[in-house]
Amino acid sequence: MITKEKPKELNEKVIQGSLIKSYVSGFLINTLNPAAFLFWVATVSAVTVEFSAQTRYIFIFFIVCMSFVFGTDVLKAFLAGKVKNLVTTKFLLWLHRISGTILLAVGVEKLGAAVLNYFKLHPINMMIFALLK
């Protein structure tokens, strides 16, 4: 059964919090994230293999990567402050409806593709078969 959940009202005290606590929490979340860890291990491995004898290029590559990551994080923080007035309960309700519809459509398309593949009913194969008759 699907129930409709009402969005909770935001409490200003919860939002403000401690800046140091927020920084440490974000740092630990990003540091202990296995996906981020595996991504950087794979990146370091690939770059080291590609530029094995040229440590200067490896250093430049990672400086550019870290600059890009830092820049996008600063941009996200800046834009979050600009759009906070847009995020209302009505906006969240429509955002959930739209994203749910998109996820449902993609799921139906993938399920349809899997069924067509299972029964070997590919549209291109069916057109070729019809042309050959």
Side-chain angles (χ1 to χ4, degrees):
M1 180 175 169
I2 298 175
T3 59
K4 191 173 184 179
E5 183 179 327
K6 293 183 180 177
K8 298 175 186 171
E9 294 298 323
L10 298 176
N11 185 352
E12 287 295 324
K13 283 187 177 181
V14 174
I15 293 173
Q16 290 176 349
S18 167
L19 187 61
I20 295 172
K21 184 178 177 183
S22 296
Y23 177 78
V24 170
S25 173
F27 179 79
L28 288 176
I29 286 172
N30 287 315
T31 304
L32 300 175
N33 182 358
F37 178 75
L38 291 174
F39 168 77
W40 284 111
V41 166
T43 304
V44 167
S45 301
V47 170
T48 305
V49 167
E50 185 69 29
F51 301 115
S52 60
Q54 301 162 329
T55 55
R56 192 172 103 204
Y57 290 138
I58 295 172
F59 182 73
I60 291 170
F61 176 83
F62 284 110
I63 291 294
V64 170
C65 282
M66 289 298 132
S67 300
F68 184 76
V69 169
F70 180 74
T72 54
D73 284 348
V74 168
L75 183 66
K76 286 189 293 186
F78 175 73
L79 292 176
K82 297 288 184 189
V83 299
K84 75 177 180 182
N85 294 332
L86 275 173
V87 181
T88 61
T89 54
K90 188 175 181 180
F91 175 80
L92 289 176
L93 177 66
W94 278 103
L95 182 67
H96 289 163
R97 286 179 180 170
I98 291 168
S99 62
T101 303
I102 291 170
L103 287 172
L104 184 65
V106 169
V108 167
E109 189 276 330
K110 294 297 176 193
L111 183 63
V115 168
L116 290 175
N117 188 31
Y118 181 77
F119 290 110
K120 305 211 184 331
L121 298 173
H122 297 288
I124 293 175
N125 290 347
M126 293 173 69
M127 286 189 319
I128 293 171
F129 183 72
L131 291 173
L132 294 176
K133 273 188 165 185

